[in-house]
Amino acid sequence: MCCSHSFDERKTQIVAEAMNLDIIKGMKFFDPHVHMSSRTTDDYQAMADAGIVALIEPAFWLGQPRTGIDSFRDYYSSLVGWERFRSSQFGIKHYCTIGLNSREANNEKLAEEVMELLPLFIYKEGVVGIGEIGFDDQTAAEDKYYRMQLELAKEAGLPIQIHTPHRDKKKGTQRSMDIAIEHGIDPKMVIIDHNNEETVKEVLDRGFWAAFTIYPFTKMGNERMVDLAKLYGPERIMINSAADWGISDPLAVPKTAALMKLKGISDEDIKMITYSNAIVAFAQSGQIDENDFITPLSVDQTEKFAGNTVLRGGQQPRTDKSSIIIS
């Protein structure tokens, strides 16, 4: 699809989209699924400038399988430690969800070790759920560890962030919901992610939260999301970028908000879809208080975490800033 447009045409579209961010200036956004460990400080800066005040970073796979339990331990430690600090240095409140992702659940020897490790992290400050968990190839091993993590979430009283598979998505989504209900999980505690036109109605009808990932070419685009927002309204719907090490956009949430506004969706509905609903869903963890980020966070880049800062060499710290839109 992308190859049908010339470079100049695509460049024009990108510039126009960036300029349209002016119409959402002053709005606040919450991205409830973004993998900041794989993003740069430039991304943090751009996100803060575009109005993102808080985010959730789900545990996920790193592009290649981990081979030992210590790599999981270090990764989880970074989500509740360094990455949380790094986000704060750009005025963004960082939360995370912790879990064994579906791809790596298929290494059962290692998965057993991870299950023993998870209780050491899920009760830590800033952890707002178990996730992202669920199905990838929909194997027996994925089913086993998905169920085990549902029970862990139930015991901890935490929301659950479910990854729905890229292949056979409708079946995988239905199966994820069926198993959650089988385990006695209240649908209001479950955020079903990566929805599309094929899955959303059943997710909402069954009382679950429906999250949509605005990710180029592989999941959802802005225009499709606007159509769905008009069709289903804002109740129990949220959007995220799921920006990671792939070709993705950490500004997907504010860009979609801008497109929604251009297409006539009300500010109130936009706020629910791009900010409020995520807070309501994940605040069930007891870890999110909007007062922690409703006013701009003070930024002092001279602060250190384990003796380290986000600065390098002779870089000058930014100790305060007002959020602006860069177009």
Side-chain angles (χ1 to χ4, degrees):
M1 182 182 296
C2 66
C3 297
S4 63
H5 300 289
S6 71
F7 175 79
D8 288 340
E9 287 174 332
R10 285 185 283 118
K11 183 177 179 181
T12 300
Q13 291 169 354
I14 293 169
V15 170
E17 188 174 342
M19 289 177 65
N20 284 338
L21 290 182
D22 284 335
I23 69 173
I24 54 165
K25 188 172 182 178
M27 286 186 175
K28 291 181 172 64
F29 305 106
F30 191 121
D31 189 336
H33 186 148
V34 55
H35 300 290
M36 296 310 297
S37 295
S38 58
R39 308 302 302 194
T40 68
T41 52
D42 287 346
D43 292 325
Y44 269 125
Q45 184 66 67
M47 292 165 74
D49 291 341
I52 295 174
V53 296
L55 60 84
I56 295 171
E57 179 162 3
F60 82 138
W61 78 302
L62 301 180
Q64 66 182 41
R66 279 165 278 223
T67 58
I69 190 61
D70 285 341
S71 59
F72 277 95
R73 182 180 289 107
D74 290 343
Y75 173 59
Y76 294 152
S77 295
S78 74
L79 293 183
V80 297
W82 167 251
E83 204 55 49
R84 193 167 182 232
F85 168 78
R86 192 166 74 112
S87 183
S88 74
Q89 296 303 283
F90 296 88
I92 298 175
K93 187 71 174 177
H94 181 286
Y95 303 96
C96 68
T97 58
I98 298 285
L100 171 66
N101 72 84
S102 52
R103 282 182 181 239
E104 291 176 299
N106 290 295
N107 181 343
E108 289 209 63
K109 182 180 181 300
L110 187 53
E112 289 293 338
E113 296 180 64
V114 174
M115 290 306 304
E116 294 180 10
L117 183 64
L118 289 178
L120 302 179
F121 285 92
I122 64 172
Y123 297 101
K124 290 186 179 293
E125 185 177 355
V127 178
V128 298
I130 303 294
E132 54 182 305
I133 65 173
F135 290 106
D136 182 47
D137 285 328
Q138 303 188 51
T139 65
E142 291 171 15
D143 185 284
K144 173 183 175 180
Y145 293 104
Y146 174 52
R147 291 175 182 273
M148 290 175 69
Q149 290 182 93
L150 290 178
E151 288 299 316
L152 189 61
K154 222 165 73 168
E155 180 182 332
L158 288 172
I160 300 154
Q161 188 174 35
I162 291 180
H163 165 90
T164 53
H166 298 280
R167 298 168 297 281
D168 207 353
K169 181 177 287 289
K170 185 174 183 179
K171 176 185 174 183
T173 302
Q174 291 171 332
R175 185 176 178 185
S176 299
M177 293 188 289
D178 289 344
I179 293 172
I181 290 171
E182 180 185 331
H183 280 257
I185 306 291
D186 188 335
K188 75 177 183 182
M189 293 292 287
V190 182
I191 298 90
I192 305 289
D193 215 336
H194 312 318
N195 280 280
N196 60 20
E197 293 88 344
E198 190 178 32
T199 63
V200 57
K201 185 178 187 304
E202 183 174 355
V203 169
L204 292 174
D205 285 349
R206 298 180 74 174
F208 293 84
W209 293 90
F212 293 85
T213 296
I214 312 302
Y215 196 110
F217 308 114
T218 66
K219 294 184 176 73
M220 287 286 294
N222 298 57
E223 292 173 312
R224 288 166 61 195
M225 189 64 233
V226 169
D227 290 340
L228 287 172
K230 288 182 175 181
L231 180 61
Y232 290 99
E235 296 294 331
R236 281 183 289 114
I237 284 179
M238 67 186 78
I239 62 170
N240 62 66
S241 68
D244 55 15
W245 35 255
I247 299 172
S248 47
D249 190 343
L251 299 185
V253 173
K255 284 182 178 181
T256 303
L259 189 60
M260 286 179 174
K261 192 171 179 69
L262 283 171
K263 298 296 185 179
I265 295 177
S266 71
D267 285 1
E268 181 180 356
D269 285 1
I270 294 171
K271 181 179 180 181
M272 289 180 67
I273 293 170
T274 64
Y275 180 76
S276 305
N277 285 346
I279 295 171
V280 172
F282 286 98
Q284 296 177 104
S285 65
Q287 290 271 8
I288 296 180
D289 183 347
E290 190 180 7
N291 291 321
D292 291 339
F293 50 81
I294 198 168
T295 55
L297 301 184
S298 61
V299 172
D300 182 356
Q301 292 181 339
T302 65
E303 291 180 353
K304 294 182 178 181
F305 178 86
N308 192 26
T309 75
V310 296
L311 305 174
R312 287 292 178 269
Q315 290 177 338
Q316 294 301 305
R318 192 189 76 213
T319 56
D320 195 16
K321 71 177 285 294
S322 297
S323 181
I324 59 172
I325 302 297
I326 297 177
S327 59

